[in-house]
């Protein structure tokens, strides 16, 4: 897929119905040869729309004016490209905990959570948030933030939050929400119209600032066993990830599946179904919408989920 085709697909599939600003912006970039030529000087993994647009927001670029944005990005290319090369699309969406919670709460505890591709680690605190499943509340009344999730069929909701006694994250470039620069980058990655996600990010960041997680810089294959070995022996290890394997090549995904399957405990995957092909079973029902993620426990499909934790469709 060419860079132009990638931006057009982003407009037609990923941003469609979710961010009119990014739909128009991606379409305009797809038809801007000068900017496409500049993007093609970057490594393939650094050309994606979310990274360019996040850097644009970070640098106060005119993302709401497509023509002005492409001219701005080309004129300031040395600064824009430097930021794109030094950063990654590490969107950290705490609301994904709402789709992970029913499975996590069903695993005998206490739990030792290890998130692969943790970014800043906002999803390592499922026991510290409050959940609203179409009016059914799970979690304490004082917990913040409240994560809303729409149920699309009969979902086995937990009666209580899991007990988490250890939590750690593994990432190639861990982010620290106690620093203004990393928090600003996470905010820049939130799409323009998603103000509720921005508020949720800030509220979740306050939870982490009170008790920062253990975040380790490392590779999802080579460094996972050593970090998993640091989990308490009397806790159930749960290795999980969301929207991470798309950034690994097929060979890395297979190696990761082999490594995580050999660890004690459980493996919880929440990814676009295409990147889980060959790694988990075939789901029993078709995805309710094109952007649905597949949630699987130990290789067995369990649910379709909204990519930002906004919905849950349980599989029989």
């Amino acid at each position: 897929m060419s860079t132009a085709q990638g931006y057009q697909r982003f407009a037609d599939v990923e941003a469609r119905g979710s961010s009119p600003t990014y739909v128009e912006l991606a379409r305009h970039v797809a038809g801007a040869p000068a900017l496409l030529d500049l993007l093609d000087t970057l490594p393939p993994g650094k050309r994606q729309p979310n990274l360019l647009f996040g850097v644009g927001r970070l640098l106060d670029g005119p993302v709401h004016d497509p023509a002005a944005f492409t001219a701005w990005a080309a004129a300031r290319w040395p600064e824009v490209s430097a930021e794109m090369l030094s950063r990654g699309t590490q969107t950290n969406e705490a609301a994904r905990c709402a789709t992970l919670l029913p499975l996590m709460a069903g695993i005998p505890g206490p739990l030792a959570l290890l998130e692969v591709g943790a970014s800043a680690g906002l999803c390592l605190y499922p026991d510290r948030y409050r959940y609203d499943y179409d009016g059914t509340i799970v979690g304490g009344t004082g917990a913040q933030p409240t994560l809303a999730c729409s149920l699309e069929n009969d979902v086995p909701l937990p009666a209580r939050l899991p007990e988490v006694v250890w939590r750690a994250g593994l990432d190639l470039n861990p982010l620290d929400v106690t620093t203004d620069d990393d928090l600003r980058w996470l905010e820049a990655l939130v799409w323009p119209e998603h103000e509720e996600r921005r508020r949720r990010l800030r509220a979740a960041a306050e939870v982490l600032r009170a008790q920062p997680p253990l975040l380790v810089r490392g590779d999802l294959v080579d460094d996972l066993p050593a970090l998993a070995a640091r989990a308490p022996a009397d806790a159930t290890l749960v290795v999980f990830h969301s929207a991470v394997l798309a950034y690994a090549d097929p060979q890395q995904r297979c190696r990761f599946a082999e490594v995580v399957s050999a660890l004690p405990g459980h493996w919880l995957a929440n990814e676009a179904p295409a990147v889980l092909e060959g790694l988990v079973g075939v789901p029993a029902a078709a995805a309710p919408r094109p952007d649905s993620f597949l949630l699987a426990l130990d290789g067995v499909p369990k649910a379709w989920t909204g990519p930002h934790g906004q919905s849950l469709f349980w599989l029989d």
Side-chain angles (χ1 to χ4, degrees):
M1 185 181 297
S2 68
T3 304
Q5 290 171 328
Y7 275 77
Q8 189 62 54
R9 185 187 182 281
F10 179 86
D12 294 342
V13 178
E14 296 181 51
R16 182 181 179 185
S18 184
S19 176
T21 299
Y22 278 3
V23 167
E24 294 305 312
L25 198 57
R27 286 176 177 166
H28 201 84
V29 173
L35 183 54
L36 290 171
D37 287 345
L38 291 171
L39 286 167
D40 283 338
T41 65
L42 301 176
K46 293 290 186 177
R47 301 171 191 170
Q48 67 265 39
N50 272 324
L51 183 56
L52 173 63
F53 300 160
V55 166
R57 289 173 56 78
L58 183 72
L59 299 178
D60 297 320
V63 296
H64 295 282
D65 185 334
F69 178 83
T70 54
W72 171 87
R76 296 183 58 178
W77 184 246
E79 183 181 8
V80 170
S81 61
E83 291 287 352
M84 292 180 71
L85 288 169
S86 66
R87 298 183 184 273
T89 50
Q90 295 173 271
T91 302
N92 206 182
E93 180 51 74
R96 289 178 179 142
C97 287
T99 54
L100 301 175
L101 184 70
L103 289 181
M104 284 185 174
I107 297 173
L111 303 183
L113 299 182
L114 197 168
E115 184 180 11
V116 174
S119 185
L122 300 183
C123 289
L124 282 166
Y125 292 77
D127 54 326
R128 303 292 178 86
Y129 303 141
R130 183 174 181 260
Y131 302 85
D132 183 348
Y133 294 100
D134 291 337
T136 298
I137 305 301
V138 178
T141 57
Q144 292 294 332
T146 297
L147 309 181
C149 181
S150 175
L151 305 181
E152 300 186 338
N153 62 350
D154 189 18
V155 178
L157 295 179
R160 61 182 63 86
L161 300 178
E163 179 188 3
V164 180
V165 295
W166 184 84
R167 62 193 95 219
L170 183 66
D171 200 285
L172 289 173
N173 182 40
L175 299 181
D176 182 359
V177 293
T178 67
T179 68
D180 291 340
D181 182 67
D182 282 356
L183 186 56
R184 282 185 63 242
W185 175 235
L186 286 173
E187 290 184 354
L189 288 170
V190 177
W191 295 2
E193 296 86 354
H194 298 184
E195 186 54 40
E196 177 58 30
R197 289 183 61 205
R198 242 180 306 281
R199 287 193 292 267
R200 188 163 58 234
L201 168 62
R202 294 168 188 146
E206 290 302 313
V207 174
L208 271 68
R209 287 185 172 191
Q211 184 185 356
L214 169 64
L215 297 177
V216 175
R217 187 182 302 272
D219 176 77
L220 80 170
V221 173
D222 297 334
D223 300 301
L224 177 58
L227 183 55
R230 297 170 64 177
D234 57 352
T236 302
L237 177 67
V238 179
V239 178
F240 70 100
H241 51 93
S242 293
V244 170
L245 294 188
Y247 300 101
D249 62 42
Q251 184 178 8
Q252 285 178 305
R253 296 171 199 165
C254 291
R255 290 178 60 210
F256 169 74
E258 293 173 357
V259 169
V260 73
S261 297
L263 294 174
H266 297 278
W267 169 31
L268 191 54
N270 186 45
E271 300 279 352
V275 304
L276 291 177
E277 288 182 4
L279 306 183
V280 306
V282 178
R289 55 183 57 85
D291 64 348
S292 293
F293 277 14
L294 179 62
L295 177 64
L297 176 63
D298 297 328
V300 179
K302 293 294 184 179
W304 292 109
T305 70
H308 296 136
Q310 69 271 42
S311 62
L312 191 54
F313 180 98
W314 207 254
L315 296 171
D316 294 332

